Amino acid sequence: DMVSLRNIDLSKAILENNTLPVSAFSGKKLEKIILPNALEIIGQNAFYESNITSIDFSNCINLHTIKTSAFAGMIGEGTLDFSKNSKLTNYEQVLFGDIVKTIIFPESLKEISGYIFHGFRGKIIFPEGLISMDASFMASRITELTFPKNLKSITGSFSYCDNLTKIVSLNSIPPQLGENVFQYFDKSKCTLYVPEGSVDAYKAADQWKDFFIIGGIEPETKLTLHYTEDGGRTILGTYE
């Protein structure tokens, strides 16, 4: 009886085509689930509107695809930690719609695209090596976002991101922007933080120049660490 279960360990499970079926855990309430080691594809709506505190992807080393709306509408905070999934490169549409979780992408990720953050309300941790971003944030409800220092181009849309008030760009060279990346976005209400000495470059760059720009990214007064305990659950620890 799925309703009465709180913890599920599927690490040794055998799935047809190594795929988690469509709507497999849609609407379910669980404390923790460990996904199959052999998992390669997470099916459409697999966790749609579910209430699951912890999902462990850490041993799914061959996971490469997440289908449409797989995590959309999930209830509650927490973390979706894909940092161990180095083969994960295919992200389909509206994956993280209307959820408040923290998303940690794999360090191996070099480019990300697709209409995957529509309605997203959480936090995003992009890898340092991300180079190209064609992912759409249209109508997302994020409040702040950090672009990693190696990001060179952004062609996705930030239209109607009305809650976005802080952007940190760690690259001293302004990333190249596609046409109308910030169309229908009130840049006057969003502060752009850039490295010391880079203010003039951003003020001269098309679209970037329309932000209120502050040079000198303040060092963090707190350190947030993400680590995985023996049970596979990702913990966020904040230290002075």
Side-chain angles (χ1 to χ4, degrees):
D1 183 356
M2 182 72 72
V3 176
S4 64
L5 293 175
R6 295 178 63 85
N7 299 282
I8 300 178
D9 184 353
L10 298 176
S11 57
K12 303 296 177 60
I14 299 175
L15 300 174
E16 184 176 357
N17 297 321
N18 293 324
T19 300
L20 195 66
V22 171
S23 302
F25 294 96
S26 177
K28 301 300 187 291
K29 183 175 182 179
L30 299 166
E31 287 293 326
K32 177 180 177 180
I33 180 170
I34 300 175
L35 295 179
N37 295 346
L39 183 66
E40 295 183 16
I41 300 171
I42 295 176
Q44 181 175 339
N45 295 331
F47 296 96
Y48 180 74
E49 293 189 344
S50 64
N51 186 351
I52 302 176
T53 305
S54 174
I55 303 176
D56 184 0
F57 309 90
S58 61
N59 291 317
C60 307
I61 60 174
N62 292 314
L63 177 63
H64 58 77
T65 298
I66 305 177
K67 296 288 188 177
T68 300
S69 299
F71 301 99
M74 283 192 73
I75 299 169
E77 298 182 0
T79 302
L80 296 176
D81 184 358
F82 302 106
S83 60
K84 304 296 185 183
N85 310 118
S86 61
K87 296 182 181 180
L88 181 56
T89 56
N90 186 15
Y91 304 84
E92 294 193 358
Q93 308 301 305
V94 202
L95 291 186
F96 308 114
D98 200 33
I99 68 173
V100 295
K101 297 184 182 294
T102 296
I103 312 298
I104 304 175
F105 286 97
E107 285 298 320
S108 57
L109 189 67
K110 300 299 182 185
E111 57 183 41
I112 188 168
S113 62
Y115 191 62
I116 64 177
F117 295 111
H118 179 77
F120 179 69
R121 297 182 289 145
K123 296 181 179 180
I124 304 168
I125 299 176
F126 289 117
E128 186 175 288
L130 187 69
I131 295 173
S132 172
M133 183 183 296
D134 188 30
S136 175
F137 287 82
M138 183 180 290
S140 74
R141 288 177 279 175
I142 53 175
T143 59
E144 61 181 78
L145 191 63
T146 297
F147 296 134
K149 67 178 183 179
N150 291 306
L151 187 65
K152 291 180 170 55
S153 68
I154 303 172
T155 52
S157 172
F158 286 85
S159 297
Y160 307 110
C161 291
D162 297 334
N163 296 330
L164 183 57
T165 58
K166 178 181 179 181
I167 294 176
V168 177
S169 181
L170 299 176
N171 194 339
S172 58
I173 300 174
Q176 183 176 352
L177 300 178
E179 185 176 358
N180 298 323
V181 167
F182 294 106
Q183 188 177 31
Y184 307 119
F185 174 75
D186 190 351
K187 294 187 282 294
S188 68
K189 296 181 179 179
C190 183
T191 302
L192 173 63
Y193 294 85
V194 302
E196 191 71 50
S198 300
V199 172
D200 289 344
Y202 277 86
K203 284 185 175 180
D206 187 39
Q207 298 185 67
W208 292 117
K209 64 185 179 182
D210 300 325
F211 286 89
F212 177 67
I213 302 173
I214 295 179
I217 300 168
E218 295 183 3
E220 295 288 344
T221 57
K222 294 183 179 180
L223 175 65
T224 300
L225 299 178
H226 303 264
Y227 66 93
T228 303
E229 65 180 9
D230 291 341
R233 182 180 177 185
T234 298
I235 307 296
L236 277 72
T238 302
Y239 305 90
E240 299 287 349

